[in-house]
Amino acid sequence: MNGGKVTLRRTAGLYAGAAVLRLALFTLFPGLPDLLTGRVEISTPVTSFKRLQEGLFLYNHNVSPYDGGVYHQAPLLLPIFNLLPSFAAFPIFTYLLYIAIDILSAHALLRIAESGEASSSARFTSPRRDKRWSGAIIAALFLFNPFTIATCIGRSTTVFTTCAILHAVANAISGRPFHAMVALAFASYLSMYPLLLLPPLILLCYDRQKLPATGAPNAWIKFTATMVMDAFGALAVLFQMSFFLTGSWEFLSSTYGVQLTLSDLAPNIGLWWYFFVEMFDSFRSFFLAVFWLHLSSYVGGLSVRLRQQPLAVITLLLGIFSIFKPYPSIADASLFLGMVPLYRHVFPLLRYSFVIAAIIIYTTFLGPAFYHLWIYAGSGNANFFYAITLVWGLGLSLLVCDLAFAVLRDEWEVERPEMAGKEIRQI
């Protein structure tokens, strides 16, 4: 009982400390939120707070928020922010909303960590399962990650997607599949790409259900069909609410169509924008299909190969999305980096930890410098910034590959215990 009270106090202190830090940055540095909102590393055409304000202005003046081609975000964000007092007069309420979302995300991550799913799932138990961090430590690593803090202060709407994804995973682990599907539907409604997490999330939900051993194939098919119907049913409800709000289906092409066709080529830390700036129009449709096929092709292979560890599949996919989605930002990287500490037990199996850390730190500092040389100083060009984003993508790619190797090596050592601790060289 006393141990539980101490843990509760520590968790509450952690959340309070994170909230105070964010509130201090908001209030003591009043120019910082607008500065970060304008950074391409934080805001993209589909997550920008400035674009949200533009859409909200049109919405409040009975004009379609999608007129003018500036606002590319979900319609239901508009009434949510419209309920808040005027941002110009009372910005504190908007600040508190973003702080609360960050804390809710951290709490979901804490629940995932405390479940022990990463090291001991329903189908696989790691021999290193005792070497893991507590939920409070993992939540602290997420809350005090500079990328997470910068995203919160920059007021990117990606924080809502992050929160929904983490709650979908937490509910799946808790044995509440319907809640998990609704949370995933909301995340997909906001950003579209989380829908690709549906297969591993269904596997995670299924493993947490106490289904009868007899008639397993039929039970699996029935469960999968139910989960798919729940997810798409919730998504349909959100679409219908959006239609009632806007009075048309225009939002589909203005939100998801922009991501599918990459019609807004604003610079970001992703790999798509510069490639399609240089692309001839006659080849554009073909390469759009190739890029989307590449992004989605990882889902099936990882779900099959890592069937015993669906949470690992979700973690790896989040890392892949942070590199290869059309409009990535550091918010996507912060979510992936928040999930990685769940696999503390396989950290000794990682091979390129120093190189990965060095690349991420290197690009974090040089990225803004190269963008300044290109846009403001005029002493560089788009190649400067795109080159550093390629290095950033390389660092995250190495982390995804190294984590996949560590997870697979951990599984292999369970199958071949005599090889535990031995170095394997490829010839």
Side-chain angles (χ1 to χ4, degrees):
M1 179 67 75
N2 291 334
K5 289 182 178 179
V6 171
T7 302
L8 183 61
R9 288 174 184 172
R10 289 178 178 174
T11 304
L14 168 66
Y15 294 161
V20 168
L21 174 61
R22 285 160 170 74
L23 194 58
L25 291 173
F26 274 126
T27 55
L28 297 180
F29 304 94
L32 184 60
D34 288 337
L35 173 66
L36 293 179
T37 300
R39 297 300 310 178
V40 296
E41 300 89 351
I42 297 172
S43 298
T44 70
V46 295
T47 63
S48 170
F49 182 74
K50 287 184 178 180
R51 295 188 181 225
L52 174 63
Q53 287 180 300
E54 175 70 19
L56 192 59
F57 177 84
L58 296 175
Y59 172 75
N60 287 330
H61 287 78
N62 297 320
V63 178
S64 171
Y66 300 102
D67 283 355
V70 174
Y71 182 66
H72 301 303
Q73 301 177 51
L76 292 183
L77 287 176
L78 298 172
I80 293 175
F81 280 87
N82 198 41
L83 291 173
L84 300 175
S86 170
F87 177 77
F90 304 100
I92 186 66
F93 292 99
T94 302
Y95 299 160
L96 292 176
L97 172 63
Y98 275 88
I99 292 171
I101 294 297
D102 261 11
I103 292 175
L104 286 173
S105 299
H107 185 66
L109 190 57
L110 182 144
R111 288 168 55 197
I112 296 170
E114 292 294 343
S115 71
E117 176 71 21
S119 56
S120 182
S121 65
R123 296 171 178 265
F124 174 78
T125 300
S126 171
R128 303 174 175 84
R129 62 187 177 277
D130 296 329
K131 297 178 181 179
R132 63 186 182 98
W133 284 325
S134 67
I137 292 177
I138 292 176
L141 291 173
F142 173 78
L143 284 172
F144 293 99
N145 183 335
F147 295 154
T148 308
I149 296 173
T151 301
C152 178
I153 305 302
R155 297 160 297 176
S156 168
T157 53
T158 313
V159 299
F160 297 97
T161 305
T162 296
C163 186
I165 290 174
L166 289 173
H167 276 86
V169 176
N171 283 319
I173 292 174
S174 301
R176 296 188 291 181
F178 176 75
H179 296 80
M181 292 301 108
V182 171
L184 184 68
F186 186 67
S188 304
Y189 167 77
L190 292 176
S191 298
M192 194 174 72
Y193 79 90
L195 192 61
L196 295 174
L197 296 175
L198 182 60
L201 194 67
I202 290 177
L203 294 176
L204 185 58
C205 290
Y206 182 78
D207 288 347
R208 285 286 175 165
Q209 302 303 302
K210 296 181 180 179
L211 297 175
T214 57
N218 291 333
W220 159 247
I221 294 172
K222 182 179 179 180
F223 182 84
T224 302
T226 302
M227 292 299 96
V228 171
M229 290 175 60
D230 288 344
F232 282 93
L235 204 54
V237 170
L238 292 170
F239 284 158
Q240 193 64 48
M241 292 172 63
S242 299
F243 174 77
F244 289 146
L245 181 68
T246 61
S248 72
W249 296 103
E250 179 188 8
F251 71 91
L252 291 175
S253 60
S254 298
T255 53
Y256 313 110
V258 167
Q259 298 186 54
L260 286 171
T261 63
L262 205 76
S263 57
D264 193 321
L265 293 173
N268 54 72
I269 61 172
L271 308 178
W272 292 45
W273 67 274
Y274 187 78
F275 188 87
F276 284 95
V277 163
E278 301 294 333
M279 177 63 60
F280 291 110
D281 289 341
S282 57
F283 298 107
R284 182 180 175 85
S285 298
F286 171 76
F287 279 100
L288 277 171
V290 170
F291 273 53
W292 274 109
L293 180 62
H294 170 255
L295 179 64
S296 57
S297 63
Y298 294 95
V299 178
L302 286 174
S303 298
V304 172
R305 179 59 186 85
L306 290 173
R307 171 62 186 93
Q308 298 182 85
Q309 302 186 67
L311 183 59
V313 178
I314 293 173
T315 302
L316 293 172
L317 286 176
L318 289 175
I320 291 169
F321 295 158
S322 69
I323 304 166
F324 297 117
K325 63 181 282 194
Y327 295 105
S329 68
I330 61 172
D332 302 293
S334 72
L335 173 58
F336 173 52
L337 294 175
M339 296 286 285
V340 169
L342 295 172
Y343 292 88
R344 163 65 183 85
H345 59 287
V346 298
F347 278 11
L349 300 177
L350 297 177
R351 300 165 295 172
Y352 309 115
S353 304
F354 174 77
V355 176
I356 293 167
I359 290 176
I360 291 177
I361 294 172
Y362 169 82
T363 51
T364 299
F365 285 100
L366 280 187
F370 281 20
Y371 185 78
H372 178 82
L373 289 175
W374 171 33
I375 297 296
Y376 299 105
S379 57
N381 54 35
N383 294 329
F384 277 58
F385 182 65
Y386 189 63
I388 203 67
T389 61
L390 290 177
V391 180
W392 165 265
L394 172 64
L396 292 179
S397 299
L398 281 174
L399 180 55
V400 170
C401 293
D402 213 17
L403 182 61
F405 168 81
V407 170
L408 290 170
R409 174 65 190 257
D410 195 42
E411 276 192 8
W412 185 68
E413 288 187 0
V414 171
E415 299 171 0
R416 301 281 300 276
E418 71 277 6
M419 303 301 296
K422 294 184 179 180
E423 184 178 356
I424 305 297
R425 296 181 179 272
Q426 293 184 347
I427 300 177

